[in-house]
Amino acid sequence: MATSLDRIPAELPRPARVGTGPAPLRRVPLPLLLTGLCLALPVSLLCGAALGASGLSWAEVTRYLWAGLTGGAIGPDEVPAYTIVWELRLPRAVLAAVVGAGLSAIGVAVQAMVRNALADPFVLGISSGAAVGANAVLIFGAMGALGVWALSTAAFASALLAMTLVYAVARTERGLTPLRLVLTGTAMYYGFSAVTTFMVFAAERGEAARSAMMWLLGSLSGANWAAVPIAAGSVLAGLAHLAWSARRLNALAMGDETAAALGVDPRRLRRELFLVSAAVTGAVVAVSGAIGFVGLMVPHAARMLVGADHRRLLAVAPLAGAVLLIWVDVLSRVVLAPAELPVGVLTAVIGVPCFILLMRRRAYSFGGI
């Protein structure tokens, strides 16, 4: 016997086009697109480990990666170069992939949760809340007893606190409504941003303020292998839950009344999405800072390529976000080498014109293409 969820269409209704506008983009076959992205991801990881200011050859990088993977021996004079590749560049590339995948997937979830095409993972105010804890460590040395774990622990703890505040303020007897979530998250964003700005201006050491600004703009310069498992575990758990909820997301995208008629409780689903989005966002922001625009641009680009079905979106968007952020991080290291640009600056520089071009190429409507 078919359940209510079985009646949810695989493709959401396609709105009629009005007037004469740009021709729609042709859909890319999903198997072809996934194959391309699955091939691009390891190639991007290899390039992320190979490219940088040190000028190592591809043969050296490949040999050091193989030695790291197999436990092979290297010469004493090769230890510095091996450290650059295996201990600095590769974990940074892996973490960029994890963060890009997480932000992209949560972008899909948040846009469905609040039914707002301009929503991204930071609309809930979680990132600005995490910034308060991170700045407390970078500027004032808080939680110094935790050593290398101080920054990520403080950022994640303050992100959870921000999540609790947003939930408490936005929740009503009718549950979490899209408008209250957006308004509460925006208000909290400005409030936490004011606190972090005050902390930066109150800093006595110039280098501490510079480090805080780099983190606020997004940076993977502090990446190491210790940071990968927690972030990767959080992202994988979030992706698993979202993939399991894909049909319910399709129902929610058609409106609360339609979702309820199809057997989906919109209030309960929004509560689940809020918790998952907050947890994943807090985890990735804790290790990378506030990298913006990925969670806004990638879901829209994926929606244009494969349609509005969340089963397709949640297969494509994380892979596309992972590949994108690896290459953005590479650019941040090589554009002004040996200096380094904040990753968030480049995501905005690249993302804004790309997003405008995507919007201009067709009559785009959120929720159906």
Side-chain angles (χ1 to χ4, degrees):
M1 182 176 179
T3 63
S4 298
L5 284 178
D6 291 331
R7 301 199 305 269
I8 299 174
E11 283 288 339
L12 299 185
R14 182 180 299 182
R17 297 178 63 220
V18 179
T20 59
L25 291 175
R26 177 174 293 180
R27 297 281 176 81
V28 178
L30 184 61
L32 179 62
L33 184 58
L34 288 178
T35 300
L37 289 172
C38 289
L39 292 175
L41 183 56
V43 172
S44 300
L45 288 171
L46 177 61
C47 292
L51 299 176
S54 61
L56 296 173
S57 68
W58 285 94
E60 291 176 304
V61 170
T62 304
R63 185 156 54 87
Y64 296 147
L65 290 176
W66 182 252
L69 290 171
T70 62
I74 58 172
D77 58 327
E78 296 178 307
V79 171
Y82 171 82
T83 301
I84 290 174
V85 172
W86 185 258
E87 298 294 339
L88 297 178
R89 289 184 185 173
L90 185 59
R92 181 167 178 160
V94 172
L95 201 59
V98 169
V99 172
L103 291 177
S104 300
I106 296 305
V108 172
V110 172
Q111 288 172 7
M113 176 174 60
V114 302
R115 303 196 73 240
N116 189 324
L118 297 178
D120 70 355
F122 299 138
V123 75
L124 301 178
I126 308 302
S127 63
S128 54
V132 174
N135 274 336
V137 174
L138 293 171
I139 296 176
F140 303 115
M143 303 179 73
L146 296 178
V148 296
W149 295 97
L151 179 62
S152 58
T153 301
F156 188 69
S158 58
L160 292 180
L161 176 61
M163 177 191 74
T164 304
L165 289 175
V166 172
Y167 183 84
V169 174
R171 186 175 182 274
T172 66
E173 293 180 355
R174 295 178 298 170
L176 295 173
T177 62
L179 181 59
R180 287 185 67 91
L181 271 175
V182 171
L183 293 178
T184 304
T186 301
M188 291 296 180
Y189 168 81
Y190 283 110
F192 289 129
S193 295
V195 174
T196 56
T197 301
F198 174 80
M199 294 169 72
V200 171
F201 275 95
E204 297 180 356
R205 296 175 295 167
E207 185 60 30
R210 182 180 181 277
S211 298
M213 288 303 300
M214 280 287 290
W215 193 91
L216 288 172
L217 293 172
S219 176
L220 292 161
S221 58
N224 53 61
W225 286 118
V228 172
I230 296 177
S234 300
V235 169
L236 288 175
L239 284 174
H241 185 275
L242 293 177
W244 176 73
S245 304
R247 280 186 173 271
R248 295 191 295 160
L249 290 174
N250 282 347
L252 188 64
M254 292 186 286
D256 287 11
E257 292 183 0
T258 303
L262 292 170
V264 175
D265 184 347
R267 292 181 296 177
R268 177 179 178 181
L269 180 55
R270 281 200 179 91
R271 190 161 55 244
E272 292 178 17
L273 293 176
F274 177 79
L275 293 174
V276 171
S277 300
V280 174
T281 302
V284 299
V285 168
V287 298
S288 66
I291 299 176
F293 221 81
V294 176
L296 175 64
M297 180 181 67
V298 174
H300 282 296
R303 195 175 284 112
M304 289 180 174
L305 292 174
V306 299
D309 182 5
H310 284 84
R311 292 174 297 179
R312 292 170 171 260
L313 284 176
L314 290 170
V316 170
L319 288 171
V323 172
L324 171 67
L325 200 57
I326 291 173
W327 283 104
V328 171
D329 182 55
V330 170
L331 287 176
S332 75
R333 288 184 276 134
V334 302
V335 169
L336 296 179
E340 181 177 320
L341 283 172
V343 175
V345 171
L346 284 179
T347 56
V349 169
I350 297 171
V352 169
C354 290
F355 191 77
I356 292 174
L357 287 175
L358 287 172
M359 294 295 103
R360 293 292 297 171
R361 285 198 61 181
R362 60 165 295 138
Y364 177 74
S365 176
F366 174 74
I369 299 179

